[in-house]
Amino acid sequence: MTTISNRLQDILSIIQSAQRASQHHQTVKLLAVSKAQTAQSMREAYHAGQHIFAENYLQEALEKQVQLGDLDVEWHFIGPIQSNKTQLIAQNFSWVHSVDRLKIAQRLNDARPENLPPLQLCIQVNVSHEESKSGVLPEALETLATAITLLPKLQLRGLMAIPAPTLDEHQQRVQFKQLHQCYDSLLEHGFSLDTLSMGMSDDYRVAIAEGATIVRIGSALFGARTYAKQEDLR
Ligand SMILES: *Cc1c(COP(=O)(O)O)cnc(C)c1O
């Protein structure tokens, strides 16, 4: 039987070889995406050595933070953010990957407790230019990045994207390259960044080849998501 621990070891070795083969000489971190997974599965991953987890839904995340309160987890928020959620996100997470509007960044900054380190932030970029998609358009990115760097309780670390889903490797590559270009352009304009959050279960090898420093992996680690089961546990 394949356990979470086996899958974690497999993923880590794929990450390692992709990292060695990458022209970008970056170090890649695995972010375990635990939305719709049980606290028990997360505990299993934790004991296998995975200490960084990402959640999409605030209420679900807060419940798991209580259930896993005895563990030293680093919590990342990667879901869409509504204004009324910013306070609890600012209080309960180390990183947020999904900021795409100044208003949300300001609210996170205002709500970040003084006794915590700055909230580590990635701006989500809409590289596929889909109208329905979250993320700032590349042409509006620098203005948003400039405004965010003025907020003292946020630390801008880099960029995140969720490309249009495709199993076509060329299409995956094109979108990752676009995010990398946005990143390079900010670096050229003097921003100090170190994070490219891109790549999920189906495309993380390609993302690493294109310079990803954080890959966000859910189903390849935990198995398919079953929201119905999650509801039963509440
Ligand atoms: C769900 C999710 C992931 C993980 O997706 P998998 O395909 O299960 O690896 C990564 N990033 C974001 C923003 C997600 O919402």
Side-chain angles (χ1 to χ4, degrees):
M1 213 186 85
T2 310
T3 63
I4 288 174
S5 168
N6 295 143
R7 288 193 289 250
L8 177 63
Q9 295 321 313
D10 289 348
I11 291 167
L12 288 174
S13 68
I14 293 170
I15 289 176
Q16 263 196 7
S17 48
Q19 182 180 296
R20 272 196 301 269
S22 164
Q23 317 277 306
H24 298 280
H25 309 292
Q26 81 274 36
T27 303
V28 183
K29 269 197 301 197
L30 169 61
L31 185 53
V33 177
S34 44
K35 62 166 176 251
Q37 308 292 347
T38 63
Q40 186 49 40
S41 297
M42 295 171 70
R43 195 172 280 279
E44 224 176 298
Y46 185 92
H47 289 306
Q50 178 63 34
H51 295 181
I52 315 179
F53 291 88
E55 291 281 343
N56 292 57
Y57 306 105
L58 179 62
Q59 210 47 49
E60 178 185 340
L62 294 177
E63 285 170 27
K64 289 173 180 171
Q65 289 181 348
V66 172
Q67 293 171 299
L68 301 174
D70 56 319
L71 307 181
D72 186 20
V73 170
E74 181 179 287
W75 294 94
H76 292 225
F77 192 85
I78 61 172
I81 308 175
Q82 292 124 17
S83 295
N84 62 351
K85 304 283 166 66
T86 47
Q87 182 173 4
L88 284 167
I89 291 172
Q91 290 169 344
N92 292 288
F93 290 82
S94 299
W95 281 69
V96 177
H97 294 233
S98 42
V99 171
D100 62 1
R101 284 179 290 155
L102 182 57
K103 180 183 164 204
I104 295 295
Q106 280 164 338
R107 292 179 63 99
L108 289 170
N109 178 73
D110 295 347
R112 183 65 170 175
E114 294 286 353
N115 62 325
L116 293 180
L119 188 59
Q120 307 298 298
L121 215 87
C122 290
I123 297 176
Q124 183 174 350
V125 183
N126 180 353
V127 287
S128 49
H129 278 82
E130 286 169 278
E131 259 180 50
S132 57
K133 266 265 172 85
S134 327
V136 63
L137 290 172
E139 45 274 29
L141 172 60
E142 187 169 348
T143 305
L144 177 59
T146 302
I148 285 177
T149 53
L150 299 174
L151 299 170
K153 288 188 276 178
L154 305 182
Q155 185 173 5
L156 181 61
R157 297 291 295 271
L159 305 180
M160 181 274 241
I162 311 172
T166 167
L167 292 175
D168 179 86
E169 196 179 311
H170 175 70
Q171 281 311 315
Q172 294 172 355
R173 211 171 274 281
V174 166
Q175 300 187 68
F176 293 140
K177 274 189 201 300
Q178 265 206 32
L179 190 67
H180 205 148
Q181 275 163 14
C182 293
Y183 181 77
D184 284 343
S185 144
L186 290 182
L187 291 180
E188 277 162 28
H189 288 93
F191 289 87
S192 147
L193 309 173
D194 62 6
T195 301
L196 262 178
S197 168
M198 60 185 194
M200 320 200 321
S201 292
D202 288 332
D203 57 14
Y204 66 100
R205 296 170 193 79
V206 179
I208 293 169
E210 296 302 334
T213 68
I214 293 184
V215 290
R216 308 179 310 267
I217 298 184
S219 42
L221 174 61
F222 292 110
R225 285 181 282 276
T226 47
Y227 276 94
K229 258 193 201 152
Q230 180 64 26
E231 289 302 319
D232 294 344
L233 287 168
R234 289 188 179 174

